[in-house]
Amino acid sequence: MGAQSAGPLVVGVDSSTQSTKALVVDAVTGAVLARGQAPHTVSGGAGKESDPGQWWQALGEALNQCGDAARQVSAVSVGGQQHGLVTLDGAGAPVRPAMLWNDVRPAPQSERLIAERGGAAAWADRVGSVPGPAFTVAKWAWLRENEPTAAAATAAVRLPHDYLTERLTGEAVTDRGDASGTGWWASSTESYDAEILAHVGLDAGLLPRVALPGEAAGTVHAGHLPLPQGALVAAGTGDNMAAALGLGLRPGQPVLSLGTSGTVYAVSTHRPADPSGTVAGFADARGDWLPLACTLNCTLAVDRVAALLGRDREAVEEGGGVVMLPFLDGERTPNLPGASGLVHGLRHDTTAGQLLQAAYDGAVFTLLKALDRVLDADAAPDAPLLLIGGGARGRAWRETVRRLSGHPVVVPEAQELVALGAAAQAAGLLLEEDPAAVARRWGTARGAEYEARPRDEAAWERLTATLADGEPLLRP
């Protein structure tokens, strides 16, 4: 292993909705020396739930696939899916399956909490975000209302990455990035909000300690994993914060991530507070901020439309006036949890390829519309969009972003950016460096560059009008 690596080794973990990935990375060069991946299952139906025990099992499997390299690491960090509600009993076992970020059942509780605590502007000012159905505070309110026995049996509340960090170290620790997606950590004070916790009947003693940026959570004590006992464990963070670290983002660089969900974000030196609720005012993992907007319907929704049409996902055709808003799972941005997909402007001469292109347009439009709110004084107006996530590899996605944004686009070569960002956090802890500077040294944001195209104003106007006029249908 010494011949292959210039420096000490670290592990970065990405525990996402569908799987856990682990990368063993050279802390100095960023070279990936080993990788592993194992799947999880998510329940179907109205709720989106997973057994946290599966995440732990998948972490073990992913590390085993890394072989001897995992046994030589000096530090570990976990990036995990945000917002999930993990409820544990006194022995540390899950009381029930975790409610995941994309579970929209708490929509009524979300609306009620916003109204009961002074309205959207008051939440944005205090917490940094308006707590939509995804936020953990709404999930906890839902649990107390719908499963009071489970809520009463809960002795500890964790986020998905906290759960894995605690099983690694035995320490109850989170970080400001992931904590900022709960709705009970206030960006205005950078601490848990006692009044909100009291309002939802949650004792602060059930929550993990919030580590400072650059602080360790503890050391590896879990005996059966192929990791060295005593290896440093970083505080970890949420998946979006980890991806921002993985890209080594400087303030104002816009990112558009195309995955199961779509996200747009940028690091900012200004604390965000958007009363419309479009932008979540997250903290990043370093000490700055990560204003972010997230859509529920992205690659999965467009792939579903392609399957319904019997077409390859790249078989798009430009032209025609058809509009599609592919809100197949309800939508978070705009906040339309009860919405379904909407097609407008269908004609005899509309082709299947045009209809598929309309699905891409609808998914990208909602992201770009949100990006206008995400970007602030730190952003250069002509900055290239960093295009990441599974969809970034697809020509149809890339060209749709270019056509509707008018921005130049860069597609970084580095993949698995959440795991790379977690690895950068672990390397930063080990080497006592800024993890974003570590990632910049690794060159993770380098990639193919595509120049700007003129923005398709006609398509933009059609989409804007359809969203506005179709709102009564989208809000049943």
Side-chain angles (χ1 to χ4, degrees), residues 4 61 70 92 108 147 249 291 355 367 373 421 429 453 462 473:
Q4 293 175 269
E61 287 177 30
E147 299 181 16
L249 287 188
L355 196 55
L367 281 170
R373 282 184 172 273
L429 177 66
R453 288 176 59 176
R462 281 197 303 273
L473 293 171

Side-chain angles (χ1 to χ4, degrees), residues 329-400:
D329 275 329
E331 190 44 80
R332 167 174 168 168
T333 306
N335 185 23
L336 298 163
S340 54
L342 186 148
V343 179
H344 177 67
L346 206 57
R347 299 286 187 185
H348 277 289
D349 61 355
T350 303
T351 67
Q354 289 169 346
L355 196 55
L356 181 55
Q357 180 62 63
Y360 279 96
D361 285 5
V364 167
F365 166 75
T366 49
L367 281 170
L368 291 174
K369 204 166 157 54
L371 183 63
D372 291 342
R373 282 184 172 273
V374 164
L375 296 177
D376 60 19
D378 287 334
D382 57 349
L385 295 177
L386 288 175
L387 203 60
I388 66 169
R393 307 283 145 191
R395 184 180 183 281
W397 281 110
R398 185 185 71 234
E399 292 308 311
T400 303

Side-chain angles (χ1 to χ4, degrees), residues 91-473:
V95 171
R96 68 179 309 287
M99 294 177 72
L100 305 186
W101 63 275
N102 52 350
D103 192 328
V104 295
R105 287 177 295 175
Q109 287 74 22
S110 158
E111 289 181 14
R112 197 167 65 237
L113 285 172
I114 293 165
E116 288 170 351
R117 299 295 308 169
W123 276 92
D125 184 56
R126 184 169 184 151
V127 172
S129 302
V130 182
F135 277 65
T136 326
V137 69
K139 290 177 166 44
W140 174 253
W142 183 93
L143 190 70
R144 287 187 77 216
E145 199 172 313
N146 291 275
E147 299 181 16
T149 306
T154 298
V157 170
R158 302 287 182 263
L159 296 164
H161 111 259
D162 310 340
Y163 170 79
L164 291 171
T165 301
E166 187 166 5
R167 290 203 65 171
L168 280 168
T169 63
E171 303 290 335
V173 178
T174 191
D175 89 302
R176 70 194 287 273
D178 215 1
S180 67
T182 58
W184 54 60
W185 184 90
S187 66
S188 57
T189 59
E190 298 221 22
S191 61
Y192 292 133
D193 190 301
E195 287 182 29
I196 290 171
L197 289 172
H199 186 76
V200 296
L202 182 57
D203 183 341
L206 273 59
L207 299 175
R209 175 177 74 84
V210 183
L212 295 171
E215 189 183 350
T219 58
V220 172
H221 88 289
H224 71 287
L225 292 180
L227 293 171
Q229 296 295 293
L232 280 173
V233 180
T237 194
D239 52 5
N240 292 299
M241 297 80 195
L245 282 184
L247 288 164
L249 287 188
R250 296 184 191 275
Q253 286 183 283
V255 177
L256 207 143
S257 176
L258 304 167
T260 305
S261 63
T263 51
V264 285
Y265 55 85
V267 170
S268 176
T269 56
H270 312 282
R271 184 178 83 89
D274 176 14
S276 79
T278 299
V279 178
F282 294 144
D284 78 350
R286 290 176 56 257
D288 287 325
W289 304 96
L290 196 72
L292 177 148
C294 175
T295 63
L296 289 183
N297 297 278
C298 197
T299 58
L300 214 58
V302 172
D303 283 354
R304 181 65 187 135
V305 173
L308 285 169
L309 295 170
R311 292 180 80 82
D312 181 270
R313 66 172 65 128
E314 294 288 334
V316 295
E317 296 169 35
E318 289 192 20
V322 67
V323 175
M324 186 185 299
L325 299 174
F327 301 161
L328 308 191
D329 275 329
E331 190 44 80
R332 167 174 168 168
T333 306
N335 185 23
L336 298 163
S340 54
L342 186 148
V343 179
H344 177 67
L346 206 57
R347 299 286 187 185
H348 277 289
D349 61 355
T350 303
T351 67
Q354 289 169 346
L355 196 55
L356 181 55
Q357 180 62 63
Y360 279 96
D361 285 5
V364 167
F365 166 75
T366 49
L367 281 170
L368 291 174
K369 204 166 157 54
L371 183 63
D372 291 342
R373 282 184 172 273
V374 164
L375 296 177
D376 60 19
D378 287 334
D382 57 349
L385 295 177
L386 288 175
L387 203 60
I388 66 169
R393 307 283 145 191
R395 184 180 183 281
W397 281 110
R398 185 185 71 234
E399 292 308 311
T400 303
V401 170
R402 289 178 71 203
R403 185 170 55 81
L404 288 181
S405 71
H407 279 263
V409 166
V410 175
V411 181
E413 285 168 27
Q415 298 186 45
E416 301 161 322
L417 284 162
V418 174
L420 272 177
Q425 190 188 50
L429 177 66
L430 189 64
L431 304 173
E432 299 183 341
E433 285 187 60
D434 171 1
V438 169
R440 288 195 287 273
R441 187 173 72 233
W442 293 352
T444 51
R446 286 195 298 263
E449 299 178 16
Y450 302 89
E451 60 189 32
R453 288 176 59 176
R455 191 166 89 162
D456 186 341
E457 297 293 351
W460 189 269
E461 286 169 17
R462 281 197 303 273
L463 283 153
T464 302
T466 303
L467 180 59
D469 296 345
E471 183 149 339
L473 293 171

